C-alpha cells in the first residue's frame, strides 16, 4: 500500500462539494477504435463552511420525465450514499488490477489536527472536518499499490472562489469567529445594551443551521451562493409563512412560550427548533437578529447585528411617516397608519454581489423580522448598503423598504373637520437618527450612520433622494407646497432620568423669538407603547395654557407619578410622550414627541473558584426586588459560551425589597475572554439583565 498527501482548495460556501479522485491505467490504452474503460472514481463529498466529508462512488445520472430523481435538498440525504458496481464482460487485454485503487482517505479532522487549527474551525463542537473557503487543507489518500506518475493518471478537481472573504484579520475574528455579541436597544437619548450568546460553535448548532436550510428545501447546489443562503435564512428564521425558527409576538402575551426578553442567546432556540421540528415561541426584532447572526456566522458568512434608532415602518411606501392630528392637537389614530419604531434590529452580511454593478458588494442588509412580504414570503434582503446610501433602490432585494426605514420624513398633518389636510410641520432628520453596531474587538458602540446616508443638508443627500424618487420611490407632491411658514414660537421638552417604580418630571420649554405677545393652548399625552411605536393605552392626559411675553422663555413642569403607569407597563418599560401646542393668534401648531425607557434593576453575577479550563467554578446570580409589589413566576436564565451550557431556574415569587440567590457549578472548556449572561422575567417585570466578563486561563499542560 502507498499513500499520497495533497493540498486541496475548498470550493465555495455551504454547499455539498465534490473532489473527484480519478485513477486509470496508462493513457496509451485510450486509442481510437479501442475499448476505453471508465476511470475508477472515488468521489469525496464534503461541506465547505461547514464541511462534511464523505466517501461515495460516482452518483447516478438524473433522468427526465417519469424517471426523474428528486432534487437534492437535504444534507440528511447524503447519509445514504449510492453505490455503483462494474458489471458485464471485460474486453481482452484489460486487467482491472492494473487500475490504481483508492483504499482509504484520511481527513485530519480532529480538533488538534492541522486542518482545523489552520482553518480556525477547532472551536466547533463537531467531529466532522470543517474547512473555510479559499484556503488549502490536506487529505491523505491511500492506494492499493505504489503510485507511479509515469504510469498512473491521478486527478483532483477543484475550483477556487470566495464570495464572503474579509481581508482584515480583526474583522474576520469579530464577524465570523466571535461567539458573543452585544445588541443595542433602548432610545436614541438613552441607549442601552445587552450581551447575546451566538454560540455558533456549540454542540449541535452546526447541524441545526443545516437543518434550517433542509427545512426550506433549499437545493444543495444553491448553498454555494451567499445571496441565496442569506435570503433563505431571512425567511426561515421567522415562522410567519414557512414554519421557520421563531414565532414573533408583539402583544405582550406569552402564555404559550418564552417572553422575547428572557432569551440570553441563540443556542436554546436553534436546538429546540431542530429537536421539536416546530417553531419556537417567542421572538422580537433583536431575537430574530441574534438567531440570524448565529446562522450566518456558523456557515462562515461574516455578519453583525445593526440597530436603527427611530426606524420607519412605511406602510404606503411614500417615504413619509404621516402623523395626522385633530384640530385640537390630539393624534388621530384612525388616519395615522405609519409607525416609527423606537429602534429596530437587523443584520448585515458581507458578500460580493455579482448580480449588481461593481461597487455594490460588501455589507448587505438582511432582516428576518417579519414586517413586509417580499416575493411571496416574509423576508428582507440582501440589500446593498451602498445602494441604499446612494438611492439606487432599483437593485434587488427590498432596497426601497430599507431606504424608507432610514430616510423617511416625519410629517405632521392636521385633518380638518371639512375633510381637508394641512401640513403643519416636517421633520427631515428624525428617522434613522442613529445606526449602530458593536465595535470590532470590544463591547463599545460603533456609529455606522454614514454608511447608510449622507449628512442632512449635503448636496449628496439631496442627490440620493432624487435618485430614489427617479427609481420609483413614491413621495406625495403636496408636501412641499402646503408646508406652512416657520412659527415665531419654538417648543421643546425633555424627560428626566426615569427609574421604574418612581415619580419623575417632564419639562416643556417655550421660546418666543418675536416682539409680539402670544398665548398658547398646549396638550400633553402620555402613552404606554410597544417599542415598535404602537400605543397600548394612554395613561396621562393634560391640557394647559401658556402666556409668552415678547422675546421671552418659559418652562412648564408636569409630574408623572409611578401609580399612573406601573399597572399597565409593557415588555420594555417604554413611555411615549406627545406634546402639541397651538398659537392662538397665528393658529400655528407646534408638535414634538419623545420616548423614554425606564431604568430597570439589574441582575448581579459573581464567580468563585479558579477561572481555568477544566476547573470547577461556582456562579452566583443575585436579584433584589426594588418594587413595592411581589414578583410572581420569576424565571432566571444563565448562559456562557465555552463556560457553561444554558440553564434556568424558577422562583415562585419574590417579595418587595427581598433578595434571591441562585448558585450553579460549571467547568469552562474554552480559554480566553468569555462572558456570563443572565436574564430575568416575571409576570410584571421583564428585560432584567446582568453579565460578567471573565478571563479563562489555559490549563498548565495545554
Amino acid at each position: 500500500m502507498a499513500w499520497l498527501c495533497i493540498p486541496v482548495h475548498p470550493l465555495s460556501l455551504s454547499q455539498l462539494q465534490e473532489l473527484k479522485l480519478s485513477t486509470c491505467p496508462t493513457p496509451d490504452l485510450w486509442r481510437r477504435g479501442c475499448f476505453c474503460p471508465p476511470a475508477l472514481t472515488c468521489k469525496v463529498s464534503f461541506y465547505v463552511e461547514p464541511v462534511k466529508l464523505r466517501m461515495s462512488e460516482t452518483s447516478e445520472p438524473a433522468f427526465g420525465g417519469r424517471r426523474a430523481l428528486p432534487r437534492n435538498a437535504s444534507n440528511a440525504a447524503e447519509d445514504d450514499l449510492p453505490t455503483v458496481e462494474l458489471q458485464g464482460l471485460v474486453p481482452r487485454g484489460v486487467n482491472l488490477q492494473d487500475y490504481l485503487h483508492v483504499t482509504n482517505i484520511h481527513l485530519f479532522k480532529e480538533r488538534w489536527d492541522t486542518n482545523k487549527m489552520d482553518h480556525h474551525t477547532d472551536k466547533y463542537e463537531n467531529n466532522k472536518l470543517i474547512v473555510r473557503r479559499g484556503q488549502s487543507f490536506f487529505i491523505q489518500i491511500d492506494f492499493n499499490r505504489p503510485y507511479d506518475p509515469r504510469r498512473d493518471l491521478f486527478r483532483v478537481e477543484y475550483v477556487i472562489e470566495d464570495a464572503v472573504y474579509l481581508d482584515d484579520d480583526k474583522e474576520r475574528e469579530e464577524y465570523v469567529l466571535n461567539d458573543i455579541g452585544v445588541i443595542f436597544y433602548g432610545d436614541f437619548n438613552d441607549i442601552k445594551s445587552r450581551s447575546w450568546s451566538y454560540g455558533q460553535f456549540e454542540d449541535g448548532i452546526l447541524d441545526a443551521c443545516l437543518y434550517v436550510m433542509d427545512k426550506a428545501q433549499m437545493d444543495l447546489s444553491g448553498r454555494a451562493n451567499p445571496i441565496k443562503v442569506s435570503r433563505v435564512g431571512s425567511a426561515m428564521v421567522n415562522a410567519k409563512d414557512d414554519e421557520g425558527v421563531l414565532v414573533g409576538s408583539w402583544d405582550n402575551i406569552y402564555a404559550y412560550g418564552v417572553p422575547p426578553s428572557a432569551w440570553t442567546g441563540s443556542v436554546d432556540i436553534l436546538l429546540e427548533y431542530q429537536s421539536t421540528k416546530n417553531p419556537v415561541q417567542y421572538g422580537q426584532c433583536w431575537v430574530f437578529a441574534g438567531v440570524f447572526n448565529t446562522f450566518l456566522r456558523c456557515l462562515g458568512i461574516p455578519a453583525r447585528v445593526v440597530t436603527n434608532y427611530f426606524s420607519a415602518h412605511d406602510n404606503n411606501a411614500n417615504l413619509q411617516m404621516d402623523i395626522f392630528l385633530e384640530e385640537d392637537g390630539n393624534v388621530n389614530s384612525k388616519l395615522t397608519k405609519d409607525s416609527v419604531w423606537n429602534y429596530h434590529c437587523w443584520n448585515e452580511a458581507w458578500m460580493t454581489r455579482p448580480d449588481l454593478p461593481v461597487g455594490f458588494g460588501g455589507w448587505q442588509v438582511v432582516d428576518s423580522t417579519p414586517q413586509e412580504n417580499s416575493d411571496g414570503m416574509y423576508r428582507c434582503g440582501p440589500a446593498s448598503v451602498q445602494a441604499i446610501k446612494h438611492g439606487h433602490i432599483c437593485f434587488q432585494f427590498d432596497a426601497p423598504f430599507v431606504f424608507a426605514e432610514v430616510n423617511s420624513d416625519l410629517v405632521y398633518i392636521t385633518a380638518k373637520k371639512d375633510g381637508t389636510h394641512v401640513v403643519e410641520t416636517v421633520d427631515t432628520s428624525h428617522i434613522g437618527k442613529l445606526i449602530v453596531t458593536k465595535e470590532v474587538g470590544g463591547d463599545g458602540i460603533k456609529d455606522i450612520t454614514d454608511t447608510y446616508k449622507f449628512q442632512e443638508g449635503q448636496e449628496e443627500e439631496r442627490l440620493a433622494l432624487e435618485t430614489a424618487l427617479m427609481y420609483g420611490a413614491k413621495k406625495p407632491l403636496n408636501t412641499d407646497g402646503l408646508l406652512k411658514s416657520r412659527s415665531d414660537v419654538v417648543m421643546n421638552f425633555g424627560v428626566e432620568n426615569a427609574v421604574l417604580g418612581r415619580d419623575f418630571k417632564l419639562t416643556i420649554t417655550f421660546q418666543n423669538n418675536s416682539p409680539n405677545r402670544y398665548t398658547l393652548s398646549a396638550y400633553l399625552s402620555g402613552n404606554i407603547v410597544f417599542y415598535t411605536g404602537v400605543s397600548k393605552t394612554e395613561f396621562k392626559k393634560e391640557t394647559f395654557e401658556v402666556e409668552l411675553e415678547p422675546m421671552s422663555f418659559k418652562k412648564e413642569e408636569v409630574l408623572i407619578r409611578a401609580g399612573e403607569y406601573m399597572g399597565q407597563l409593557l415588555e420594555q418599560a417604554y413611555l411615549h410622550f406627545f406634546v402639541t401646542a397651538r398659537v392662538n393668534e397665528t393658529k400655528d401648531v407646534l408638535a414634538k414627541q419623545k420616548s423614554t425607557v425606564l431604568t430597570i434593576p439589574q441582575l448581579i453575577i459573581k464567580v468563585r473558584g479558579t477561572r481555568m479550563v477544566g476547573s470547577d467554578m461556582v456562579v452566583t446570580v443575585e436579584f433584589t426586588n426594588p418594587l413595592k409589589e411581589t414578583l410572581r413566576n420569576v424565571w432566571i436564565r444563565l448562559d456562557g459560551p465555552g463556560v457553561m451550557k444554558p440553564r434556568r431556574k424558577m422562583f415562585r415569587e419574590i417579595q418587595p425589597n427581598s433578595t434571591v440567590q441562585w448558585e450553579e457549578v460549571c467547568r469552562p472548556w474554552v480559554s480566553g475572554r468569555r462572558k456570563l449572561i443572565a436574564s430575568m422575567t416575571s409576570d410584571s417585570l421583564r428585560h432584567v439583565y446582568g453579565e460578567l466578563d471573565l478571563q479563562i486561563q489555559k490549563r498548565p499542560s495545554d
Side-chain angles (χ1 to χ4, degrees):
M1 182 182 75
W3 58 270
L4 181 66
C5 189
I6 60 172
V8 181
H9 287 274
L11 283 80
S12 53
L13 164 77
S14 302
Q15 178 191 15
L16 183 67
Q17 307 293 347
E18 298 172 355
L19 290 180
K20 295 182 179 179
L21 312 178
S22 304
T23 63
C24 67
T26 174
D28 289 342
L29 288 175
W30 297 2
R31 294 193 300 271
R32 181 174 303 198
C34 296
F35 168 73
C36 181
L40 295 182
T41 302
C42 173
K43 184 174 70 177
V44 182
S45 300
F46 63 97
Y47 277 88
V48 179
E49 195 54 40
V51 175
K52 290 187 176 182
L53 280 92
R54 309 179 188 277
M55 292 180 59
S56 72
E57 300 292 333
T58 51
S59 59
E60 294 181 343
F63 299 96
R66 296 171 64 182
R67 299 184 64 190
L69 298 175
R71 66 190 180 99
N72 195 349
S74 173
N75 295 317
E78 296 302 318
D79 291 334
D80 299 320
L81 296 174
T83 59
V84 177
E85 295 181 2
L86 292 177
Q87 297 179 351
L89 298 176
V90 178
R92 282 183 295 178
V94 176
N95 184 3
L96 293 180
Q97 298 301 318
D98 290 337
Y99 283 85
L100 186 66
H101 292 278
V102 177
T103 61
N104 202 357
I105 297 179
H106 303 277
L107 306 178
F108 306 110
K109 62 181 182 178
E110 299 300 331
R111 181 172 289 185
W112 53 84
D113 284 331
T114 182
N115 281 338
K116 282 196 171 180
M117 295 293 290
D118 291 349
H119 284 253
H120 303 285
T121 58
D122 53 307
K123 294 181 179 180
Y124 281 97
E125 292 287 330
N126 193 297
N127 59 6
K128 307 294 184 182
L129 176 57
I130 307 169
V131 294
R132 300 190 184 278
R133 298 160 302 280
Q135 182 178 343
S136 298
F137 67 96
F138 289 90
I139 61 174
Q140 178 180 309
I141 305 170
D142 295 345
F143 301 113
N144 62 319
R145 59 171 174 78
Y147 170 71
D148 184 354
R150 296 171 301 174
R151 178 171 179 264
D152 300 315
L153 178 62
F154 179 80
R155 184 171 71 250
V156 178
E157 300 175 5
Y158 63 88
V159 179
I160 303 175
E161 59 182 41
D162 188 4
V164 295
Y165 179 70
L166 267 173
D167 59 3
D168 186 280
D169 291 341
K170 292 183 179 180
E171 288 187 345
R172 287 200 305 272
E173 180 75 26
E174 177 68 47
Y175 299 132
V176 178
L177 299 180
N178 194 355
D179 56 354
I180 304 173
V182 175
I183 298 177
F184 297 96
Y185 65 105
D187 185 76
F188 168 73
N189 296 305
D190 186 15
I191 295 175
K192 299 183 183 299
S193 66
R194 59 166 298 178
S195 294
W196 187 268
S197 169
Y198 297 128
Q200 67 265 34
F201 304 119
E202 297 296 306
D203 188 21
I205 295 302
L206 177 55
D207 290 329
C209 292
L210 295 176
Y211 171 73
V212 170
M213 291 188 288
D214 290 349
K215 180 76 172 180
Q217 296 186 330
M218 185 180 185
D219 198 291
L220 294 180
S221 63
R223 303 186 189 189
N225 188 334
I227 301 172
K228 294 181 179 180
V229 170
S230 60
R231 188 148 175 81
V232 168
S234 170
M236 283 301 300
V237 170
N238 73 74
K240 186 75 171 182
D241 47 22
D242 50 13
E243 293 294 302
V245 178
L246 267 169
V247 177
S249 178
W250 285 266
D251 60 6
N252 208 47
I253 300 173
Y254 312 114
Y256 300 102
V258 177
S261 59
W263 301 112
T264 55
S266 308
V267 174
D268 277 351
I269 295 171
L270 286 168
L271 293 182
E272 180 179 336
Y273 179 65
Q274 186 189 20
S275 63
T276 64
K277 315 300 183 189
N278 291 313
V280 180
Q281 299 171 313
Y282 293 99
Q284 291 179 2
C285 73
W286 74 94
V287 185
F288 287 110
V291 173
F292 197 11
N293 221 54
T294 299
F295 173 85
L296 293 168
R297 288 190 184 182
C298 187
L299 299 180
I301 303 176
R304 60 189 185 185
V305 175
V306 170
T307 302
N308 177 34
Y309 286 97
F310 299 134
S311 188
H313 189 165
D314 189 5
N315 282 286
N316 52 7
N318 65 350
L319 291 183
Q320 286 185 189
M321 308 304 295
D322 299 322
I323 309 297
F324 288 91
L325 308 174
E326 303 284 2
E327 290 191 70
D328 62 359
N330 195 7
V331 175
N332 186 317
S333 58
K334 292 183 179 180
L335 293 178
T336 303
K337 303 300 182 184
D338 296 333
S339 62
V340 180
W341 295 31
N342 290 336
Y343 71 91
H344 178 50
C345 297
W346 59 66
N347 302 82
E348 287 182 357
W350 179 274
M351 65 187 74
T352 60
R353 289 298 300 268
D355 58 323
L356 302 182
V358 175
F360 292 100
W363 289 115
Q364 311 288 312
V365 173
V366 283
D367 190 349
S368 58
T369 300
Q371 296 184 87
E372 295 293 332
N373 191 289
S374 172
D375 295 334
M377 303 185 75
Y378 280 89
R379 57 186 169 184
C380 182
S384 167
V385 174
Q386 271 291 93
I388 294 164
K389 180 173 183 176
H390 292 274
H392 291 275
I393 62 173
C394 57
F395 296 147
Q396 58 186 8
F397 298 87
D398 308 310
F401 182 78
V402 180
F403 185 87
E405 285 185 299
V406 301
N407 282 295
S408 294
D409 292 340
L410 194 62
V411 182
Y412 295 94
I413 304 171
T414 296
K416 293 186 171 294
K417 294 179 181 179
D418 61 6
T420 60
H421 293 169
V422 177
V423 177
E424 299 291 351
T425 183
V426 178
D427 190 340
T428 60
S429 62
H430 185 79
I431 302 300
K433 194 83 168 181
L434 179 67
I435 306 171
V436 299
T437 189
K438 174 186 174 297
E439 67 180 2
V440 173
D443 290 346
I445 191 170
K446 179 180 180 181
D447 184 350
I448 58 171
T449 310
D450 61 352
T451 66
Y452 281 83
K453 54 199 298 188
F454 294 100
Q455 288 186 5
E456 192 74 29
Q458 287 186 341
E459 177 65 19
E460 295 89 345
E461 187 260 346
R462 183 188 62 81
L463 182 60
L465 178 59
E466 290 179 354
T467 303
L469 295 174
M470 179 182 68
Y471 283 127
K474 302 175 183 177
K475 190 167 185 179
L477 299 177
N478 61 353
T479 300
D480 297 328
L482 294 178
L483 184 61
K484 298 175 67 174
S485 60
R486 187 180 182 88
S487 174
D488 291 335
V489 179
V490 177
M491 180 189 72
N492 206 343
F493 74 93
V495 183
E496 69 178 9
N497 181 40
V499 178
L500 181 72
R502 298 182 185 175
D503 301 344
F504 61 92
K505 290 181 180 180
L506 183 148
T507 303
I508 308 168
T509 60
F510 300 91
Q511 175 73 49
N512 183 1
N513 297 315
S514 78
N516 303 316
R517 182 179 180 277
Y518 291 121
T519 60
L520 292 84
S521 299
Y523 170 82
L524 165 70
S525 175
N527 294 268
I528 306 289
V529 296
F530 299 92
Y531 80 97
T532 57
V534 177
S535 176
K536 177 193 175 187
T537 185
E538 185 178 51
F539 73 89
K540 185 76 172 181
K541 186 175 183 179
E542 191 163 321
T543 58
F544 49 92
E545 300 294 321
V546 179
E547 294 184 359
L548 284 177
E549 298 298 327
M551 308 300 294
S552 66
F553 175 85
K554 195 167 187 179
K555 286 185 179 181
E556 293 285 340
E557 289 188 347
V558 179
L559 179 65
I560 309 298
R561 299 187 182 278
E564 294 176 311
Y565 64 80
M566 279 299 296
Q568 307 174 76
L569 215 53
L570 290 174
E571 175 86 359
Q572 296 190 38
Y574 270 106
L575 304 180
H576 182 266
F577 296 97
F578 191 85
V579 179
T580 58
R582 179 176 295 277
V583 182
N584 296 323
E585 289 76 9
T586 63
K587 305 303 180 185
D588 290 340
V589 174
L590 313 175
K592 286 287 183 178
Q593 57 178 314
K594 286 185 181 179
S595 295
T596 187
V597 187
L598 298 172
T599 301
I600 298 176
Q602 293 185 328
L603 294 167
I604 298 174
I605 305 176
K606 302 176 183 178
V607 169
R608 303 194 312 271
T610 304
R611 303 180 183 187
M612 181 181 296
V613 171
S615 296
D616 286 345
M617 298 190 316
V618 178
V619 180
T620 303
V621 182
E622 181 180 295
F623 176 75
T624 300
N625 178 12
L627 304 182
K628 298 178 181 179
E629 62 179 275
T630 299
L631 301 180
R632 292 183 171 82
N633 297 319
V634 180
W635 281 98
I636 298 179
R637 291 172 180 259
L638 182 61
D639 192 2
V643 177
M644 65 186 305
K645 302 294 184 183
R647 304 178 190 180
R648 62 179 182 173
K649 184 177 179 62
M650 181 184 184
F651 296 87
R652 293 288 182 186
E653 62 179 34
I654 304 177
Q655 297 291 332
N657 299 316
S658 64
T659 300
V660 294
Q661 288 187 339
W662 170 33
E663 288 191 351
E664 286 284 348
V665 178
C666 65
R667 184 175 297 173
W669 63 91
V670 175
S671 62
R673 185 172 177 263
R674 299 281 89 193
K675 183 174 289 189
L676 291 171
I677 308 166
S679 73
M680 193 209 78
T681 184
S682 68
D683 290 345
S684 56
L685 179 61
R686 297 177 184 141
H687 263 273
V688 180
Y689 302 118
E691 57 187 61
L692 179 66
D693 290 318
L694 299 173
Q695 187 67 37
I696 305 299
Q697 304 297 322
K698 294 182 178 180
R699 285 181 294 191
S701 58
D702 291 346

